[in-house]
Amino acid sequence: MVSPYGAFVSFQVNVDAIGQNIVGDAANEPTIAVDPTNGNKMTIGWRQFNSVQSDFRQGGWGFTTDAGFTWTFPGVLETNVFRSDPVLGSNESGNFFYLSLRQIFYADIWRSTNSGQSWTRSTVGDVTGGDKEWFTIDTTNGMGHGFLYQAWSTSGNNWGGRQFSRSTNGGSPG
């Protein structure tokens, strides 16, 4: 759905198969990642609610390959799994990552190697993390290249006072 306002044009992401608004759909807390190798490829993650009356949220996402003129909204990462606080990022190769907090205050990382068109969980089990988590990817040529760094709030987590973790293998299990 396209909404012009003066010189500004807004393109709605969570749309149906023919690009129209989904009546009753509700979403918030969006985060976007852009492929640094091709700026036409972007993906957005958000908290997807079943309806405007629901407080149950899931990990919704959409992607574009034409710089945001059209979007595809495939659905949620996992049906009927409570998720919150989505954070997306990309590495220098154009792989996308989706960090998501689950209801039990553990996080997990998902990876897309096809411009956000599909996602595979990169982590297994209960991964460190907590409420209001955020992450970044080291894209430098230094010794931390490819490392993922995550920080979160001291409240709403399972790790006592700890609020930082690092993955030295790109968020993969093992």
Side-chain angles (χ1 to χ4, degrees):
M1 189 164 115
V2 179
S3 301
Y5 183 78
F8 178 78
V9 179
S10 174
F11 295 87
Q12 185 173 333
V13 176
N14 52 331
V15 294
D16 66 17
I18 58 170
Q20 298 299 305
N21 183 44
I22 302 169
V23 176
D25 179 55
N28 65 14
E29 295 189 0
T31 176
I32 190 168
V34 179
D35 180 341
T37 69
N38 182 344
N40 289 325
K41 297 177 180 180
M42 295 179 268
T43 186
I44 297 179
W46 60 82
R47 294 187 335 170
Q48 178 67 47
F49 296 85
N50 291 335
S51 73
V52 293
Q53 288 82 26
S54 173
D55 66 352
F56 183 77
R57 59 206 75 140
Q58 301 175 81
W61 96 92
F63 68 91
T64 182
T65 57
D66 62 5
F69 289 103
T70 59
W71 290 88
T72 300
F73 169 37
V76 296
L77 292 175
E78 292 179 294
T79 303
N80 296 321
V81 174
F82 183 98
R83 294 188 170 278
S84 194
D85 300 344
V87 183
L88 276 68
S90 59
N91 65 14
E92 78 287 347
S93 302
N95 295 314
F96 290 119
F97 295 84
Y98 190 126
L99 173 66
S100 178
L101 179 68
R102 296 190 336 263
Q103 185 171 18
I104 55 175
F105 290 105
Y106 291 104
D108 52 22
I109 299 264
W110 296 69
R111 176 189 290 231
S112 175
T113 58
N114 62 0
S115 305
Q117 295 178 40
S118 64
W119 296 90
T120 303
R121 186 191 314 247
S122 293
T123 53
V124 175
D126 295 331
V127 178
T128 57
D131 198 19
K132 308 301 177 216
E133 82 284 359
W134 204 260
F135 87 109
T136 191
I137 304 166
D138 186 341
T139 58
T140 69
N141 291 323
M143 62 186 247
H145 176 80
F147 290 8
L148 278 63
Y149 300 92
Q150 180 187 180
W152 57 88
S153 171
T154 55
S155 62
N157 76 69
N158 299 310
W159 309 102
R162 200 169 111 204
Q163 60 189 112
F164 175 82
S165 67
R166 156 183 96 160
S167 169
T168 59
N169 61 5
S172 297

